[in-house]
Amino acid sequence: EDPIISGIAFNRDEAQLTVVGVPDHPGIASAILGPIGAANIEVDMIVQNVGSDGLTDFTFTVHKRDFATALQIMREVAGSLGAKDVRGDDDIVKVSLVGVGMRSHAGVASKTFATLARENINIRMISTSEIKISVVIDSKYLELAVRSLHKDFALDREPQDEAL
Amino acid sequence: EDPIISGIAFNRDEAQLTVVGVPDHPGIASAILGPIGAANIEVDMIVQNVGSDGLTDFTFTVHKRDFATALQIMREVAGSLGAKDVRGDDDIVKVSLVGVGMRSHAGVASKTFATLARENINIRMISTSEIKISVVIDSKYLELAVRSLHKDFALDREPQDEAL
Ligand SMILES: C[C@@H](O)[C@H](N)C(=O)O
Ligand SMILES: C[C@@H](O)[C@H](N)C(=O)O
């Protein structure tokens, strides 16, 4: 399946929270997101990588308006989870390349990363699906990232603002 | 937007590779996936969490048939990236809850995680999009995970095998 890139989307409303150094055993992910779901806070991205030495980090993004509440909740549960730390940052943006057949091509992802590398934009977080490659970057790089990707992938359609 | 879960999908063909402890600066993601793209290897999931102390881990999944080749390529580039280690595992499966409005509800994600926790199934990796919550688990838990999620979410449609 040849990838067909339909466009670029971005989201300036997000804030990220990371629970650092949680035990990598059953029940932890549920204990982290349970209180967030109970507080009726919408979650966008959830990213957890493979752990090492029995620990891993758990990151999720919420709307900026829920950042302080979510951070407060996480600080309250972190102790009971045995987490090392809770970190948050609301100065981020999500930029996504949207299309079909994305996964059938490491080329699309590596081209996306090469464009950002050339512009010296650090990729803070990555999450993909069959129809999207999403990266989280510092918010100050939003315009530069969107414009460079738009040019390198020779896209016509205007980038879409996916406000939450 | 109320979440509407349309079903469960799973994928038994995947293998995961993790480049551990890479420097978290521009150009690294491109240096990792460039050689994989050049070797025409399809990549499904790409997961990178926020780093700490200037380092992060970078994981991606490939079809099991490409696992040995991808591992070989990663071992060759790891040194030039300054990575601490390259790890791989082909005894995994991806299980996804598919639907719309997924992100508008931490409840759906935490319910998914609670089901797996109750069955004592450890979640190795998590990646989400607007239409999917995907977890990577040990392959031995595939049937138990799919059956439990199917029951807890009271789904009708048979789970879909998304073979790559
Ligand atoms: C870290 C967390 O995902 C844990 N592995 C769990 O299953 O809940
Ligand atoms: C780790 C990797 O994603 C790095 N931050 C980069 O921008 O390439």
Side-chain angles (χ1 to χ4, degrees), chain A residues 24-26 43-44 46-49 52 57 59 87 103 122-128 130 132 164, chain B residues 24-26 43-44 46-49 52 57 59 87 103 122-128 130 132 164:
Chain A
D24 189 7
H25 57 61
V43 165
D44 184 27
I46 303 172
V47 175
Q48 179 210 316
N49 207 335
S52 32
D57 299 337
T59 300
R87 298 187 191 140
R103 86 169 176 200
N122 192 44
I123 301 167
R124 302 168 58 128
M125 209 155 79
I126 302 171
S127 180
T128 62
E130 285 77 3
K132 243 186 192 185
L164 276 176
Chain B
D24 189 7
H25 56 61
V43 166
D44 183 29
I46 303 173
V47 175
Q48 179 209 314
N49 207 336
S52 36
D57 299 338
T59 300
R87 299 189 190 140
R103 85 171 182 198
N122 192 45
I123 302 167
R124 301 167 59 129
M125 208 155 79
I126 302 170
S127 179
T128 63
E130 284 77 1
K132 244 187 191 185
L164 277 179

Side-chain angles (χ1 to χ4, degrees), chain A residues 6 8 23 28 41 47 55 57 68-69 81-82 88 100 133 143 151 157:
Chain A
S6 55
I8 294 173
I28 296 293
I41 293 176
V47 175
L55 300 176
D57 299 337
T69 315
L81 298 173
V100 285
I133 295 173
E143 284 74 21
K151 193 171 111 263
R157 242 183 55 194

Side-chain angles (χ1 to χ4, degrees), chain B residues 94-116:
Chain B
K94 180 173 81 170
V95 177
S96 306
L97 214 72
V98 186
V100 286
M102 306 289 272
R103 85 171 182 198
S104 64
H105 231 278
V108 173
S110 77
K111 187 174 172 179
T112 304
F113 302 153
T115 299
L116 298 172

Side-chain angles (χ1 to χ4, degrees), chain A residues 101-154:
Chain A
M102 306 289 271
R103 86 169 176 200
S104 63
H105 230 277
V108 173
S110 76
K111 186 172 172 180
T112 303
F113 302 152
T115 299
L116 298 172
R118 193 191 65 226
E119 301 298 339
N120 219 20
I121 296 172
N122 192 44
I123 301 167
R124 302 168 58 128
M125 209 155 79
I126 302 171
S127 180
T128 62
S129 75
E130 285 77 3
I131 57 163
K132 243 186 192 185
I133 295 173
S134 295
V135 295
V136 170
I137 59 175
D138 291 353
S139 57
K140 70 184 176 201
Y141 293 125
L142 176 60
E143 284 74 21
L144 177 59
V146 169
R147 222 181 17 252
S148 322
L149 289 167
H150 207 250
K151 193 171 111 263
D152 283 11
F153 283 95

Side-chain angles (χ1 to χ4, degrees), chain A residues 45-88:
Chain A
M45 299 173 81
I46 303 172
V47 175
Q48 179 210 316
N49 207 335
V50 191
S52 32
D53 308 327
L55 300 176
T56 189
D57 299 337
F58 186 98
T59 300
F60 61 94
T61 63
V62 298
H63 192 287
K64 279 197 203 304
R65 64 168 174 254
D66 295 319
F67 178 57
T69 315
L71 204 56
Q72 168 77 16
I73 295 171
M74 281 300 100
R75 293 212 167 108
E76 279 159 14
V77 295
S80 66
L81 298 173
K84 278 194 196 140
D85 195 4
V86 174
R87 298 187 191 140

